[in-house]
């Protein structure tokens, strides 16, 4: 939608021109013409002062309330306008920008609706028009926003345009919100069957403090003491040295499923021909499969949370963004933190970096690690194994890779977790 334009007479150039014409008419003795020009000058100057005055005295805020929902859902917000100008505000056009990418749209707007704000920007957002606000008057407007896709947007300002009662002048300014608002659109949720994940959990006996011993991870050994179980005796060492030693194993957190999003596996490099008939390379992101995988992770986490099970989440860092590691937890708070982290992903194909120190420190608590990748050949498998994660599985968009790799890591298709999930075709995404 286009912005409203002021009359030429209400612009600085028009005011100077009207004054010059009035002075010229007086000089040549055309009194009636000079009086008319002075009247137009007075009206134009008053209109400009009116519109600028009411605009500078107008404040805007968004009430506290719902600021997050999942893609495909809706949220209600309340926009509040206050006028502290002595002159009445005849009309006010408000645009709350949500950015260039469509995340949220007002109910009733078409998905391709764009709003114009200076300097010649076309953005998605919420547009409202208010009329007849008197001095010290406040007006509120409730609006329903539909979440189109996953993402996060920070609202710090709004575009305001106001006019005078004569219809001659329309002024614009960006107004800071009284309190910045952060809208988060969580990944789209689907019905998830997590039984293939829970079957992979260790069935070791629970130890003290809610931990288990992983019988596949030998930590150390100690001399035999009375009462130690026979199955823990290191029989090979006994045969070699004649001394009885008891094996001690690594402690892990039972019943925890850790999701690691392998962002780097969703990019590839392609060669293309330029307009100058030269061959160059560029990074391409499989955008839709990545969005599908993010939704699969969110759906599995929500189902695990509803069942009271523990989960953890690792998202590599990229660009200027730091890695995200949410330690094992359960309940509403852990679920909300995971949804916030997944909603904030804005990967464009940059190199990915894992939080090595934190993974080493918490590796015993991660339980079974689900490496979520484009194919059954993840790019982070060797790096994670070097960090001490040996209980790894793969959730892939499609089966692909050498037999040698799939023998060491069990691969599970995303379609096995989400009923009716379409197969992620190997299509090119947008160039990053």
């Amino acid at each position: 939608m286009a912005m409203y334009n002021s009359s030429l007479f209400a612009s600085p150039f028009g005011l100077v021109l009207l004054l010059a014409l009035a002075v010229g008419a007086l000089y040549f003795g055309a009194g009636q013409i000079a009086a008319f020009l002075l009247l137009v000058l007075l009206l134009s100057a008053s209109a400009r002062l009116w519109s600028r005055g009411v605009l500078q005295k107008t404040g805007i805020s968004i009430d506290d309330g719902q600021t997050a929902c999942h893609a495909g859902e809706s949220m209600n917000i309340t926009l509040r306008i206050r006028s502290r100008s002595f002159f009445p505000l005849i009309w006010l056009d408000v645009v709350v920008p949500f950015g260039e990418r469509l995340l949220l749209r007002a109910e009733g707007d078409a998905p391709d609706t764009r709003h114009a704000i200076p300097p010649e920007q076309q953005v998605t957002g919420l547009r409202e028009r208010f009329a007849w606000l008197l001095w010290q008057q406040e007006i509120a407007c409730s609006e329903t926003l539909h979440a189109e896709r996953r993402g996060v947007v920070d609202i710090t300002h709004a575009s305001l345009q106001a006019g005078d009662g004569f219809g001659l002048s329309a002024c614009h300014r960006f107004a800071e919100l009284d309190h910045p608002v952060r809208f988060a659109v969580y990944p789209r949720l689907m019905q998830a069957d997590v039984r293939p994940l829970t079957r992979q959990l260790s069935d070791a006996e629970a130890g003290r403090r809610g931990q288990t011993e992983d019988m596949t991870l030998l930590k150390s050994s100690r001399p035999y003491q009375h009462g130690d179980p026979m199955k823990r005796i290191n029989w090979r060492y006994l045969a070699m040295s004649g001394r009885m030693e008891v094996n001690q194993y690594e402690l892990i957190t039972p019943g925890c499923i850790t999701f690691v999003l392998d962002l780097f596996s969703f990019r590839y490099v392609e060669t293309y021909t330029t307009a100058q008939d030269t061959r160059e390379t560029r990074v391409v992101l499989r955008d839709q499969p990545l969005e599908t995988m993010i939704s699969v992770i969110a759906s599995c986490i929500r189902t695990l949370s509803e069942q009271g099970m523990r989960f953890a989440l690792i998202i590599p860092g990229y660009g200027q963004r730091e890695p995200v590691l949410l330690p094992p937890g359960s309940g509403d708070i852990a679920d909300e933190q995971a949804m916030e982290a997944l909603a904030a992903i804005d990967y464009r194909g940059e190199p990915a970096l894992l939080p090595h120190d934190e993974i080493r420190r918490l590796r015993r608590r991660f339980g079974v690690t689900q490496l979520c990748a484009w194919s059954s050949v993840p790019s982070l498998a060797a790096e994670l194994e070097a960090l001490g994660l040996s209980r790894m599985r793969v959730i892939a968009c499609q089966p692909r890779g050498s037999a040698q790799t799939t023998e060491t890591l069990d691969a599970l298709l995303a379609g096995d977790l989400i009923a009716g999930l379409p197969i992620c075709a190997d299509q090119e995404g947008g160039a990053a």
Side-chain angles (χ1 to χ4, degrees):
M1 295 185 179
M3 296 186 64
Y4 299 95
N5 296 319
S6 299
S7 169
L8 178 62
F9 293 131
S11 65
F13 173 78
L15 295 176
V16 173
L17 179 61
L18 287 173
L19 180 60
L21 291 176
V23 172
L26 286 174
Y27 179 79
F28 289 105
Q32 292 182 344
I33 296 178
F36 176 76
L37 291 174
L38 287 174
L39 177 61
V40 175
L41 174 64
L42 178 61
L43 290 176
S44 299
S46 300
R48 181 175 178 81
L49 293 175
W50 187 340
S51 60
R52 293 177 67 89
V54 297
L55 196 59
Q56 293 297 328
K57 298 294 184 179
T58 301
I60 180 173
S61 65
I62 297 178
D63 289 358
D64 295 334
Q66 183 183 6
T67 57
C69 68
H70 288 273
E73 299 177 351
S74 299
M75 70 172 73
N76 296 319
I77 69 169
T78 300
L79 195 65
R80 197 170 297 274
I81 303 295
R82 293 176 302 279
S83 177
R84 298 185 179 89
S85 173
F86 177 78
F87 298 100
L89 195 155
I90 304 302
W91 63 268
L92 175 70
D93 198 65
V94 179
V95 176
V96 180
F98 295 155
E100 296 182 0
R101 189 174 65 170
L102 178 62
L103 298 181
L104 295 162
R105 63 175 176 86
E107 193 175 48
D109 287 351
D112 59 348
T113 301
R114 295 293 186 272
H115 306 290
I117 61 174
E120 299 182 358
Q121 286 183 284
Q122 297 288 330
V123 299
T124 64
L126 171 64
R127 181 179 185 269
E128 294 289 345
R129 192 172 192 189
F130 302 89
W132 285 107
L133 267 74
L134 301 179
W135 179 62
Q136 293 294 335
Q137 186 178 7
E138 180 177 280
I139 189 171
C141 175
S142 297
E143 187 65 63
T144 299
L145 300 179
H146 182 73
E148 290 289 333
R149 58 165 296 166
R150 176 195 60 82
V152 173
V153 57
D154 293 307
I155 310 297
T156 59
H157 63 275
S159 170
L160 304 183
Q161 190 177 21
D164 62 283
F166 306 118
L168 295 175
S169 177
C171 292
H172 173 271
R173 80 177 181 97
F174 286 104
E176 298 290 333
L177 267 66
D178 293 348
H179 304 286
V181 178
R182 180 183 177 91
F183 289 125
V185 180
Y186 298 155
R188 191 179 301 272
L189 292 181
M190 298 171 283
Q191 189 67 34
D193 181 9
V194 297
R195 287 177 295 179
L197 302 181
T198 57
R199 282 197 296 265
Q200 297 172 348
L201 295 176
S202 173
D203 58 353
E205 293 180 357
R208 292 177 299 176
R209 299 181 182 179
Q211 293 183 319
T212 66
E213 287 185 318
D214 190 338
M215 307 303 288
T216 65
L217 300 177
L218 180 63
K219 180 180 180 181
S220 61
S221 63
R222 61 169 175 82
Y224 175 82
Q225 297 177 0
H226 179 71
D228 287 336
M230 298 294 292
K231 64 180 181 180
R232 289 178 176 265
I233 296 177
N234 192 327
W235 297 105
R236 179 179 297 181
Y237 185 81
L238 176 62
M240 294 174 58
S241 64
R243 291 183 298 177
M244 295 184 65
E245 293 279 335
V246 176
N247 293 330
Q248 290 185 303
Y249 301 97
E250 294 280 7
L251 292 176
I252 63 171
T253 301
C256 179
I257 298 177
T258 299
F259 298 91
V260 181
L261 181 56
D262 190 353
L263 292 172
F264 199 75
S265 67
F266 289 90
R267 68 184 290 278
Y268 64 94
V269 178
E270 71 170 6
T271 302
Y272 68 100
T273 303
T274 65
Q276 292 75 27
D277 201 23
T278 60
R279 297 181 66 81
E280 298 184 4
T281 60
R282 61 185 174 189
V283 174
V284 178
L285 180 67
R286 297 181 176 94
D287 185 64
Q288 188 55 48
L290 176 58
E291 290 298 320
T292 300
M293 180 58 71
I294 292 175
S295 291
V296 169
I297 296 174
S299 302
C300 291
I301 287 178
R302 175 57 55 83
T303 303
L304 292 173
S305 177
E306 292 174 349
Q307 295 179 3
M309 300 189 64
R310 297 167 64 86
F311 55 86
L313 176 65
I314 301 176
I315 302 175
Y318 51 91
Q320 300 298 320
R321 301 210 176 191
E322 295 294 328
V324 175
L325 191 151
L326 301 181
S330 61
D332 294 339
I333 295 180
D335 178 85
E336 184 177 354
Q337 291 176 341
M339 296 303 163
E340 286 276 356
L342 292 172
I345 295 175
D346 189 21
Y347 184 62
R348 305 296 177 87
E350 304 95 332
L353 177 65
L354 286 172
H356 291 180
D357 294 339
E358 293 183 82
I359 291 178
R360 288 193 186 96
R361 180 171 58 87
L362 299 173
R363 68 183 186 277
R364 300 174 185 176
R365 300 173 53 191
F366 284 147
V368 177
T369 301
Q370 302 292 341
L371 192 48
C372 305
W374 155 245
S375 71
S376 55
V377 186
S379 65
L380 296 177
E383 187 176 356
L384 289 172
E385 187 174 0
L387 293 175
L389 298 183
S390 60
R391 296 153 51 87
M392 288 189 293
R393 306 291 188 269
V394 177
I395 300 177
C397 288
Q398 62 173 246
R400 177 178 297 182
S402 63
Q404 181 180 1
T405 304
T406 55
E407 286 176 359
T408 57
L409 290 180
D410 295 335
L412 183 68
L413 291 181
D416 297 332
L417 301 173
I418 307 297
L421 185 69
I423 297 177
C424 298
D426 190 3
Q427 297 179 349
E428 295 183 0

